[in-house]
PDB file of all heavy atoms in Angstrom:
ATOM      1  N   PRO S 144      11.624  -7.810   3.109  1.00 98.00           N
ATOM      2  CA  PRO S 144      12.785  -7.266   3.868  1.00 98.00           C
ATOM      3  C   PRO S 144      12.863  -7.713   5.245  1.00 98.00           C
ATOM      4  O   PRO S 144      13.948  -7.885   5.791  1.00 98.00           O
ATOM      5  CB  PRO S 144      12.502  -5.728   3.838  1.00 98.00           C
ATOM      6  CG  PRO S 144      11.035  -5.584   3.525  1.00 98.00           C
ATOM      7  CD  PRO S 144      10.576  -6.831   2.720  1.00 98.00           C
ATOM      8  N   ALA S 145      11.700  -8.017   5.902  1.00 98.00           N
ATOM      9  CA  ALA S 145      11.716  -8.484   7.329  1.00 98.00           C
ATOM     10  C   ALA S 145      12.457  -9.837   7.377  1.00 98.00           C
ATOM     11  O   ALA S 145      13.408 -10.023   8.201  1.00 98.00           O
ATOM     12  CB  ALA S 145      10.328  -8.588   7.860  1.00 98.00           C
ATOM     13  N   LEU S 146      12.096 -10.766   6.436  1.00 98.00           N
ATOM     14  CA  LEU S 146      12.821 -12.049   6.420  1.00 98.00           C
ATOM     15  C   LEU S 146      14.266 -11.885   6.133  1.00 98.00           C
ATOM     16  O   LEU S 146      15.211 -12.614   6.627  1.00 98.00           O
ATOM     17  CB  LEU S 146      12.161 -12.989   5.409  1.00 98.00           C
ATOM     18  CG  LEU S 146      10.620 -13.419   5.805  1.00 98.00           C
ATOM     19  CD1 LEU S 146      10.072 -14.094   4.591  1.00 98.00           C
ATOM     20  CD2 LEU S 146      10.634 -14.297   7.048  1.00 98.00           C
ATOM     21  N   ALA S 147      14.565 -11.049   5.062  1.00 98.00           N
ATOM     22  CA  ALA S 147      15.957 -10.958   4.627  1.00 98.00           C
ATOM     23  C   ALA S 147      16.848 -10.418   5.801  1.00 98.00           C
ATOM     24  O   ALA S 147      17.958 -10.888   5.914  1.00 98.00           O
ATOM     25  CB  ALA S 147      15.958  -9.855   3.446  1.00 98.00           C
ATOM     26  N   ALA S 148      16.269  -9.535   6.593  1.00 98.00           N
ATOM     27  CA  ALA S 148      17.091  -9.029   7.771  1.00 98.00           C
ATOM     28  C   ALA S 148      17.224  -9.993   8.967  1.00 98.00           C
ATOM     29  O   ALA S 148      17.897  -9.729   9.927  1.00 98.00           O
ATOM     30  CB  ALA S 148      16.381  -7.782   8.232  1.00 98.00           C
ATOM     31  N   GLY S 149      16.555 -11.229   8.710  1.00 98.00           N
ATOM     32  CA  GLY S 149      16.737 -12.232   9.759  1.00 98.00           C
ATOM     33  C   GLY S 149      15.647 -12.303  10.753  1.00 98.00           C
ATOM     34  O   GLY S 149      15.792 -12.955  11.838  1.00 98.00           O
ATOM     35  N   ASN S 150      14.492 -11.639  10.548  1.00 98.00           N
ATOM     36  CA  ASN S 150      13.338 -11.687  11.380  1.00 98.00           C
ATOM     37  C   ASN S 150      12.427 -12.881  10.973  1.00 98.00           C
ATOM     38  O   ASN S 150      12.466 -13.299   9.837  1.00 98.00           O
ATOM     39  CB  ASN S 150      12.476 -10.475  11.271  1.00 98.00           C
ATOM     40  CG  ASN S 150      13.339  -9.210  11.648  1.00 98.00           C
ATOM     41  OD1 ASN S 150      13.534  -8.937  12.844  1.00 98.00           O
ATOM     42  ND2 ASN S 150      13.733  -8.551  10.537  1.00 98.00           N
ATOM     43  N   THR S 151      11.617 -13.388  11.945  1.00 99.00           N
ATOM     44  CA  THR S 151      10.571 -14.229  11.542  1.00 99.00           C
ATOM     45  C   THR S 151       9.253 -13.399  11.495  1.00 99.00           C
ATOM     46  O   THR S 151       9.159 -12.323  12.179  1.00 99.00           O
ATOM     47  CB  THR S 151      10.494 -15.397  12.489  1.00 99.00           C
ATOM     48  OG1 THR S 151      10.270 -14.940  13.785  1.00 99.00           O
ATOM     49  CG2 THR S 151      11.675 -16.297  12.370  1.00 99.00           C
ATOM     50  N   VAL S 152       8.271 -13.917  10.744  1.00 99.00           N
ATOM     51  CA  VAL S 152       7.151 -13.088  10.427  1.00 99.00           C
ATOM     52  C   VAL S 152       5.827 -13.787  10.682  1.00 99.00           C
ATOM     53  O   VAL S 152       5.671 -14.995  10.308  1.00 99.00           O
ATOM     54  CB  VAL S 152       7.255 -12.588   8.934  1.00 99.00           C
ATOM     55  CG1 VAL S 152       5.875 -11.912   8.554  1.00 99.00           C
ATOM     56  CG2 VAL S 152       8.422 -11.663   8.685  1.00 99.00           C
ATOM     57  N   VAL S 153       4.940 -13.148  11.347  1.00 99.00           N
ATOM     58  CA  VAL S 153       3.511 -13.491  11.347  1.00 99.00           C
ATOM     59  C   VAL S 153       2.753 -12.501  10.615  1.00 99.00           C
ATOM     60  O   VAL S 153       2.965 -11.268  10.788  1.00 99.00           O
ATOM     61  CB  VAL S 153       3.026 -13.685  12.823  1.00 99.00           C
ATOM     62  CG1 VAL S 153       3.448 -14.999  13.432  1.00 99.00           C
ATOM     63  CG2 VAL S 153       3.306 -12.464  13.721  1.00 99.00           C
ATOM     64  N   LEU S 154       1.965 -12.855   9.709  1.00 99.00           N
ATOM     65  CA  LEU S 154       1.291 -11.891   8.888  1.00 99.00           C
ATOM     66  C   LEU S 154      -0.266 -12.159   8.937  1.00 99.00           C
ATOM     67  O   LEU S 154      -0.787 -13.241   8.701  1.00 99.00           O
ATOM     68  CB  LEU S 154       1.716 -12.075   7.459  1.00 99.00           C
ATOM     69  CG  LEU S 154       1.143 -11.137   6.356  1.00 99.00           C
ATOM     70  CD1 LEU S 154       2.222 -10.724   5.370  1.00 99.00           C
ATOM     71  CD2 LEU S 154      -0.075 -11.756   5.670  1.00 99.00           C
ATOM     72  N   LYS S 155      -1.080 -11.032   9.209  1.00 98.00           N
ATOM     73  CA  LYS S 155      -2.495 -11.106   9.265  1.00 98.00           C
ATOM     74  C   LYS S 155      -3.028 -10.402   7.985  1.00 98.00           C
ATOM     75  O   LYS S 155      -2.931  -9.197   7.772  1.00 98.00           O
ATOM     76  CB  LYS S 155      -3.058 -10.473  10.435  1.00 98.00           C
ATOM     77  CG  LYS S 155      -4.498 -10.728  10.578  1.00 98.00           C
ATOM     78  CD  LYS S 155      -5.278  -9.795  11.397  1.00 98.00           C
ATOM     79  CE  LYS S 155      -5.871  -8.588  10.718  1.00 98.00           C
ATOM     80  NZ  LYS S 155      -6.863  -8.983   9.690  1.00 98.00           N
ATOM     81  N   PRO S 156      -3.589 -11.139   6.968  1.00 98.00           N
ATOM     82  CA  PRO S 156      -4.152 -10.502   5.846  1.00 98.00           C
ATOM     83  C   PRO S 156      -5.565  -9.811   6.327  1.00 98.00           C
ATOM     84  O   PRO S 156      -5.994 -10.141   7.364  1.00 98.00           O
ATOM     85  CB  PRO S 156      -4.448 -11.640   4.937  1.00 98.00           C
ATOM     86  CG  PRO S 156      -4.485 -12.912   5.702  1.00 98.00           C
ATOM     87  CD  PRO S 156      -3.813 -12.592   7.016  1.00 98.00           C
ATOM     88  N   ALA S 157      -6.085  -9.004   5.485  1.00 98.00           N
ATOM     89  CA  ALA S 157      -7.453  -8.448   5.793  1.00 98.00           C
ATOM     90  C   ALA S 157      -8.420  -9.569   5.767  1.00 98.00           C
ATOM     91  O   ALA S 157      -8.320 -10.514   4.959  1.00 98.00           O
ATOM     92  CB  ALA S 157      -7.750  -7.365   4.827  1.00 98.00           C
ATOM     93  N   GLU S 158      -9.396  -9.482   6.619  1.00 98.00           N
ATOM     94  CA  GLU S 158     -10.392 -10.495   6.599  1.00 98.00           C
ATOM     95  C   GLU S 158     -11.081 -10.703   5.251  1.00 98.00           C
ATOM     96  O   GLU S 158     -11.444 -11.772   4.793  1.00 98.00           O
ATOM     97  CB  GLU S 158     -11.547  -9.980   7.536  1.00 98.00           C
ATOM     98  CG  GLU S 158     -11.860 -10.990   8.629  1.00 98.00           C
ATOM     99  CD  GLU S 158     -13.028 -10.295   9.550  1.00 98.00           C
ATOM    100  OE1 GLU S 158     -12.722  -9.219  10.072  1.00 98.00           O
ATOM    101  OE2 GLU S 158     -14.074 -10.849   9.629  1.00 98.00           O
ATOM    102  N   LEU S 159     -11.282  -9.566   4.543  1.00 98.00           N
ATOM    103  CA  LEU S 159     -11.930  -9.638   3.210  1.00 98.00           C
ATOM    104  C   LEU S 159     -11.017 -10.378   2.101  1.00 98.00           C
ATOM    105  O   LEU S 159     -11.568 -10.869   1.193  1.00 98.00           O
ATOM    106  CB  LEU S 159     -12.226  -8.273   2.719  1.00 98.00           C
ATOM    107  CG  LEU S 159     -13.309  -7.423   3.540  1.00 98.00           C
ATOM    108  CD1 LEU S 159     -13.396  -6.031   2.977  1.00 98.00           C
ATOM    109  CD2 LEU S 159     -14.648  -8.074   3.497  1.00 98.00           C
ATOM    110  N   THR S 160      -9.733 -10.261   2.295  1.00 98.00           N
ATOM    111  CA  THR S 160      -8.833 -10.731   1.219  1.00 98.00           C
ATOM    112  C   THR S 160      -7.750 -11.665   1.674  1.00 98.00           C
ATOM    113  O   THR S 160      -6.491 -11.230   1.556  1.00 98.00           O
ATOM    114  CB  THR S 160      -8.274  -9.534   0.454  1.00 98.00           C
ATOM    115  OG1 THR S 160      -7.540  -8.697   1.394  1.00 98.00           O
ATOM    116  CG2 THR S 160      -9.240  -8.750  -0.250  1.00 98.00           C
ATOM    117  N   PRO S 161      -7.976 -12.778   2.275  1.00 98.00           N
ATOM    118  CA  PRO S 161      -6.926 -13.662   2.810  1.00 98.00           C
ATOM    119  C   PRO S 161      -6.297 -14.605   1.795  1.00 98.00           C
ATOM    120  O   PRO S 161      -5.188 -15.194   2.079  1.00 98.00           O
ATOM    121  CB  PRO S 161      -7.687 -14.442   3.890  1.00 98.00           C
ATOM    122  CG  PRO S 161      -9.053 -14.595   3.310  1.00 98.00           C
ATOM    123  CD  PRO S 161      -9.359 -13.364   2.493  1.00 98.00           C
ATOM    124  N   LEU S 162      -6.913 -14.812   0.570  1.00 98.00           N
ATOM    125  CA  LEU S 162      -6.545 -15.921  -0.182  1.00 98.00           C
ATOM    126  C   LEU S 162      -5.188 -15.927  -0.752  1.00 98.00           C
ATOM    127  O   LEU S 162      -4.430 -16.986  -0.717  1.00 98.00           O
ATOM    128  CB  LEU S 162      -7.540 -16.183  -1.360  1.00 98.00           C
ATOM    129  CG  LEU S 162      -9.041 -16.327  -0.825  1.00 98.00           C
ATOM    130  CD1 LEU S 162      -9.871 -16.685  -2.058  1.00 98.00           C
ATOM    131  CD2 LEU S 162      -9.105 -17.490   0.156  1.00 98.00           C
ATOM    132  N   THR S 163      -4.769 -14.848  -1.314  1.00 98.00           N
ATOM    133  CA  THR S 163      -3.378 -14.834  -1.844  1.00 98.00           C
ATOM    134  C   THR S 163      -2.268 -14.899  -0.758  1.00 98.00           C
ATOM    135  O   THR S 163      -1.261 -15.600  -1.008  1.00 98.00           O
ATOM    136  CB  THR S 163      -3.097 -13.562  -2.752  1.00 98.00           C
ATOM    137  OG1 THR S 163      -3.579 -12.438  -2.018  1.00 98.00           O
ATOM    138  CG2 THR S 163      -3.779 -13.620  -4.130  1.00 98.00           C
ATOM    139  N   ALA S 164      -2.512 -14.213   0.343  1.00 98.00           N
ATOM    140  CA  ALA S 164      -1.513 -14.371   1.434  1.00 98.00           C
ATOM    141  C   ALA S 164      -1.405 -15.824   1.911  1.00 98.00           C
ATOM    142  O   ALA S 164      -0.252 -16.301   2.113  1.00 98.00           O
ATOM    143  CB  ALA S 164      -1.913 -13.493   2.614  1.00 98.00           C
ATOM    144  N   MET S 165      -2.514 -16.549   1.969  1.00 98.00           N
ATOM    145  CA  MET S 165      -2.551 -17.922   2.409  1.00 98.00           C
ATOM    146  C   MET S 165      -1.678 -18.740   1.480  1.00 98.00           C
ATOM    147  O   MET S 165      -0.900 -19.624   1.851  1.00 98.00           O
ATOM    148  CB  MET S 165      -3.878 -18.482   2.624  1.00 98.00           C
ATOM    149  CG  MET S 165      -4.663 -17.841   3.823  1.00 98.00           C
ATOM    150  SD  MET S 165      -6.394 -18.099   3.817  1.00 98.00           S
ATOM    151  CE  MET S 165      -6.491 -19.880   4.016  1.00 98.00           C
ATOM    152  N   ARG S 166      -1.865 -18.438   0.135  1.00 98.00           N
ATOM    153  CA  ARG S 166      -1.063 -19.221  -0.824  1.00 98.00           C
ATOM    154  C   ARG S 166       0.485 -18.821  -0.767  1.00 98.00           C
ATOM    155  O   ARG S 166       1.264 -19.764  -0.881  1.00 98.00           O
ATOM    156  CB  ARG S 166      -1.613 -18.831  -2.237  1.00 98.00           C
ATOM    157  CG  ARG S 166      -1.239 -19.675  -3.363  1.00 98.00           C
ATOM    158  CD  ARG S 166      -1.682 -21.161  -3.279  1.00 98.00           C
ATOM    159  NE  ARG S 166      -1.050 -22.016  -4.264  1.00 98.00           N
ATOM    160  CZ  ARG S 166      -0.190 -22.943  -4.010  1.00 98.00           C
ATOM    161  NH1 ARG S 166       0.071 -23.202  -2.800  1.00 98.00           N
ATOM    162  NH2 ARG S 166       0.398 -23.702  -4.961  1.00 98.00           N
ATOM    163  N   LEU S 167       0.738 -17.542  -0.529  1.00 99.00           N
ATOM    164  CA  LEU S 167       2.137 -17.227  -0.349  1.00 99.00           C
ATOM    165  C   LEU S 167       2.756 -17.913   0.778  1.00 99.00           C
ATOM    166  O   LEU S 167       3.940 -18.323   0.792  1.00 99.00           O
ATOM    167  CB  LEU S 167       2.273 -15.690  -0.266  1.00 99.00           C
ATOM    168  CG  LEU S 167       1.968 -14.927  -1.516  1.00 99.00           C
ATOM    169  CD1 LEU S 167       1.803 -13.411  -1.210  1.00 99.00           C
ATOM    170  CD2 LEU S 167       3.070 -15.107  -2.587  1.00 99.00           C
ATOM    171  N   GLY S 168       2.039 -18.099   1.891  1.00 98.00           N
ATOM    172  CA  GLY S 168       2.471 -18.826   3.029  1.00 98.00           C
ATOM    173  C   GLY S 168       2.923 -20.279   2.711  1.00 98.00           C
ATOM    174  O   GLY S 168       3.886 -20.821   3.069  1.00 98.00           O
ATOM    175  N   GLU S 169       2.041 -20.916   1.783  1.00 98.00           N
ATOM    176  CA  GLU S 169       2.338 -22.267   1.389  1.00 98.00           C
ATOM    177  C   GLU S 169       3.653 -22.329   0.484  1.00 98.00           C
ATOM    178  O   GLU S 169       4.400 -23.230   0.529  1.00 98.00           O
ATOM    179  CB  GLU S 169       1.170 -22.878   0.581  1.00 98.00           C
ATOM    180  CG  GLU S 169      -0.087 -23.079   1.425  1.00 98.00           C
ATOM    181  CD  GLU S 169      -1.458 -23.349   0.598  1.00 98.00           C
ATOM    182  OE1 GLU S 169      -1.275 -23.322  -0.629  1.00 98.00           O
ATOM    183  OE2 GLU S 169      -2.485 -23.479   1.178  1.00 98.00           O
ATOM    184  N   LEU S 170       3.724 -21.285  -0.389  1.00 98.00           N
ATOM    185  CA  LEU S 170       4.837 -21.247  -1.286  1.00 98.00           C
ATOM    186  C   LEU S 170       6.142 -21.050  -0.613  1.00 98.00           C
ATOM    187  O   LEU S 170       7.180 -21.616  -0.943  1.00 98.00           O
ATOM    188  CB  LEU S 170       4.543 -20.251  -2.350  1.00 98.00           C
ATOM    189  CG  LEU S 170       3.535 -20.460  -3.389  1.00 98.00           C
ATOM    190  CD1 LEU S 170       3.380 -19.165  -4.363  1.00 98.00           C
ATOM    191  CD2 LEU S 170       3.725 -21.744  -4.185  1.00 98.00           C
ATOM    192  N   ALA S 171       6.080 -20.344   0.540  1.00 98.00           N
ATOM    193  CA  ALA S 171       7.348 -20.080   1.318  1.00 98.00           C
ATOM    194  C   ALA S 171       7.836 -21.408   1.835  1.00 98.00           C
ATOM    195  O   ALA S 171       9.002 -21.762   1.789  1.00 98.00           O
ATOM    196  CB  ALA S 171       6.938 -19.133   2.478  1.00 98.00           C
ATOM    197  N   LEU S 172       6.879 -22.265   2.366  1.00 98.00           N
ATOM    198  CA  LEU S 172       7.338 -23.524   2.870  1.00 98.00           C
ATOM    199  C   LEU S 172       7.853 -24.452   1.740  1.00 98.00           C
ATOM    200  O   LEU S 172       8.897 -25.115   1.902  1.00 98.00           O
ATOM    201  CB  LEU S 172       6.134 -24.295   3.502  1.00 98.00           C
ATOM    202  CG  LEU S 172       5.634 -23.688   4.871  1.00 98.00           C
ATOM    203  CD1 LEU S 172       4.407 -24.331   5.365  1.00 98.00           C
ATOM    204  CD2 LEU S 172       6.753 -23.810   5.911  1.00 98.00           C
ATOM    205  N   GLU S 173       7.164 -24.344   0.588  1.00 98.00           N
ATOM    206  CA  GLU S 173       7.591 -25.216  -0.572  1.00 98.00           C
ATOM    207  C   GLU S 173       8.986 -24.721  -0.967  1.00 98.00           C
ATOM    208  O   GLU S 173       9.810 -25.559  -1.478  1.00 98.00           O
ATOM    209  CB  GLU S 173       6.626 -24.981  -1.701  1.00 98.00           C
ATOM    210  CG  GLU S 173       6.374 -26.110  -2.540  1.00 98.00           C
ATOM    211  CD  GLU S 173       5.320 -25.783  -3.673  1.00 98.00           C
ATOM    212  OE1 GLU S 173       4.151 -25.619  -3.343  1.00 98.00           O
ATOM    213  OE2 GLU S 173       5.744 -25.746  -4.790  1.00 98.00           O
ATOM    214  N   ALA S 174       9.370 -23.482  -0.864  1.00 98.00           N
ATOM    215  CA  ALA S 174      10.560 -22.963  -1.208  1.00 98.00           C
ATOM    216  C   ALA S 174      11.759 -23.362  -0.183  1.00 98.00           C
ATOM    217  O   ALA S 174      12.879 -23.171  -0.486  1.00 98.00           O
ATOM    218  CB  ALA S 174      10.590 -21.383  -1.282  1.00 98.00           C
ATOM    219  N   GLY S 175      11.262 -23.915   0.925  1.00 98.00           N
ATOM    220  CA  GLY S 175      12.304 -24.341   1.868  1.00 98.00           C
ATOM    221  C   GLY S 175      12.492 -23.447   3.122  1.00 98.00           C
ATOM    222  O   GLY S 175      13.365 -23.831   3.926  1.00 98.00           O
ATOM    223  N   LEU S 176      11.639 -22.439   3.227  1.00 98.00           N
ATOM    224  CA  LEU S 176      11.813 -21.685   4.479  1.00 98.00           C
ATOM    225  C   LEU S 176      11.424 -22.543   5.630  1.00 98.00           C
ATOM    226  O   LEU S 176      10.341 -23.182   5.528  1.00 98.00           O
ATOM    227  CB  LEU S 176      10.854 -20.401   4.411  1.00 98.00           C
ATOM    228  CG  LEU S 176      11.584 -19.128   3.791  1.00 98.00           C
ATOM    229  CD1 LEU S 176      11.573 -19.280   2.357  1.00 98.00           C
ATOM    230  CD2 LEU S 176      10.813 -17.888   4.250  1.00 98.00           C
ATOM    231  N   PRO S 177      12.163 -22.553   6.711  1.00 98.00           N
ATOM    232  CA  PRO S 177      11.721 -23.476   7.823  1.00 98.00           C
ATOM    233  C   PRO S 177      10.385 -23.103   8.355  1.00 98.00           C
ATOM    234  O   PRO S 177       9.991 -21.943   8.417  1.00 98.00           O
ATOM    235  CB  PRO S 177      12.889 -23.267   8.776  1.00 98.00           C
ATOM    236  CG  PRO S 177      13.973 -22.628   8.062  1.00 98.00           C
ATOM    237  CD  PRO S 177      13.361 -21.877   6.864  1.00 98.00           C
ATOM    238  N   GLU S 178       9.699 -24.119   8.913  1.00 98.00           N
ATOM    239  CA  GLU S 178       8.434 -23.998   9.628  1.00 98.00           C
ATOM    240  C   GLU S 178       8.582 -22.860  10.597  1.00 98.00           C
ATOM    241  O   GLU S 178       9.608 -22.783  11.349  1.00 98.00           O
ATOM    242  CB  GLU S 178       8.186 -25.285  10.303  1.00 98.00           C
ATOM    243  CG  GLU S 178       6.757 -25.522  10.732  1.00 98.00           C
ATOM    244  CD  GLU S 178       5.850 -26.044   9.632  1.00 98.00           C
ATOM    245  OE1 GLU S 178       6.375 -26.808   8.849  1.00 98.00           O
ATOM    246  OE2 GLU S 178       4.704 -25.619   9.619  1.00 98.00           O
ATOM    247  N   GLY S 179       7.585 -21.979  10.728  1.00 98.00           N
ATOM    248  CA  GLY S 179       7.526 -20.934  11.734  1.00 98.00           C
ATOM    249  C   GLY S 179       8.227 -19.609  11.279  1.00 98.00           C
ATOM    250  O   GLY S 179       8.134 -18.600  12.028  1.00 98.00           O
ATOM    251  N   VAL S 180       8.943 -19.666  10.224  1.00 99.00           N
ATOM    252  CA  VAL S 180       9.673 -18.447   9.744  1.00 99.00           C
ATOM    253  C   VAL S 180       8.712 -17.447   9.195  1.00 99.00           C
ATOM    254  O   VAL S 180       8.845 -16.252   9.450  1.00 99.00           O
ATOM    255  CB  VAL S 180      10.811 -18.823   8.814  1.00 99.00           C
ATOM    256  CG1 VAL S 180      11.410 -17.601   8.144  1.00 99.00           C
ATOM    257  CG2 VAL S 180      11.991 -19.548   9.572  1.00 99.00           C
ATOM    258  N   PHE S 181       7.804 -17.975   8.468  1.00 99.00           N
ATOM    259  CA  PHE S 181       6.745 -17.056   7.808  1.00 99.00           C
ATOM    260  C   PHE S 181       5.447 -17.689   8.004  1.00 99.00           C
ATOM    261  O   PHE S 181       5.182 -18.684   7.278  1.00 99.00           O
ATOM    262  CB  PHE S 181       7.150 -16.764   6.381  1.00 99.00           C
ATOM    263  CG  PHE S 181       6.091 -15.972   5.632  1.00 99.00           C
ATOM    264  CD1 PHE S 181       5.493 -14.863   6.102  1.00 99.00           C
ATOM    265  CD2 PHE S 181       5.649 -16.347   4.291  1.00 99.00           C
ATOM    266  CE1 PHE S 181       4.524 -14.147   5.420  1.00 99.00           C
ATOM    267  CE2 PHE S 181       4.719 -15.645   3.589  1.00 99.00           C
ATOM    268  CZ  PHE S 181       4.093 -14.501   4.215  1.00 99.00           C
ATOM    269  N   THR S 182       4.558 -17.191   8.827  1.00 98.00           N
ATOM    270  CA  THR S 182       3.265 -17.777   9.061  1.00 98.00           C
ATOM    271  C   THR S 182       2.180 -16.841   8.682  1.00 98.00           C
ATOM    272  O   THR S 182       2.137 -15.665   9.302  1.00 98.00           O
ATOM    273  CB  THR S 182       3.114 -18.238  10.505  1.00 98.00           C
ATOM    274  OG1 THR S 182       4.337 -18.950  10.827  1.00 98.00           O
ATOM    275  CG2 THR S 182       1.934 -19.078  10.741  1.00 98.00           C
ATOM    276  N   VAL S 183       1.198 -17.183   7.905  1.00 98.00           N
ATOM    277  CA  VAL S 183      -0.030 -16.329   7.622  1.00 98.00           C
ATOM    278  C   VAL S 183      -1.043 -16.751   8.645  1.00 98.00           C
ATOM    279  O   VAL S 183      -1.376 -17.904   8.686  1.00 98.00           O
ATOM    280  CB  VAL S 183      -0.337 -16.525   6.166  1.00 98.00           C
ATOM    281  CG1 VAL S 183      -1.619 -15.729   5.796  1.00 98.00           C
ATOM    282  CG2 VAL S 183       0.779 -16.149   5.261  1.00 98.00           C
ATOM    283  N   VAL S 184      -1.646 -15.787   9.291  1.00 98.00           N
ATOM    284  CA  VAL S 184      -2.689 -16.076  10.286  1.00 98.00           C
ATOM    285  C   VAL S 184      -3.909 -15.284   9.968  1.00 98.00           C
ATOM    286  O   VAL S 184      -4.113 -14.077  10.279  1.00 98.00           O
ATOM    287  CB  VAL S 184      -2.126 -15.551  11.686  1.00 98.00           C
ATOM    288  CG1 VAL S 184      -3.112 -16.096  12.729  1.00 98.00           C
ATOM    289  CG2 VAL S 184      -0.845 -16.033  11.990  1.00 98.00           C
ATOM    290  N   PRO S 185      -4.798 -15.912   9.158  1.00 98.00           N
ATOM    291  CA  PRO S 185      -6.038 -15.224   8.816  1.00 98.00           C
ATOM    292  C   PRO S 185      -6.928 -15.052   9.965  1.00 98.00           C
ATOM    293  O   PRO S 185      -7.039 -15.945  10.812  1.00 98.00           O
ATOM    294  CB  PRO S 185      -6.742 -16.190   7.822  1.00 98.00           C
ATOM    295  CG  PRO S 185      -5.810 -17.264   7.525  1.00 98.00           C
ATOM    296  CD  PRO S 185      -4.815 -17.280   8.633  1.00 98.00           C
TER     297      PRO S 185
END
Side-chain angles (χ1 to χ4, degrees):
L146 293 170
N150 303 281
T151 56
V152 170
V153 284
L154 182 144
K155 192 201 91 63
E158 234 178 301
L159 294 174
T160 55
L162 300 186
T163 46
M165 290 164 69
R166 190 70 188 111
L167 288 168
E169 293 167 359
L170 293 176
L172 288 175
E173 217 179 292
L176 270 77
E178 198 82 39
V180 166
F181 173 46
T182 310
V183 175
V184 191

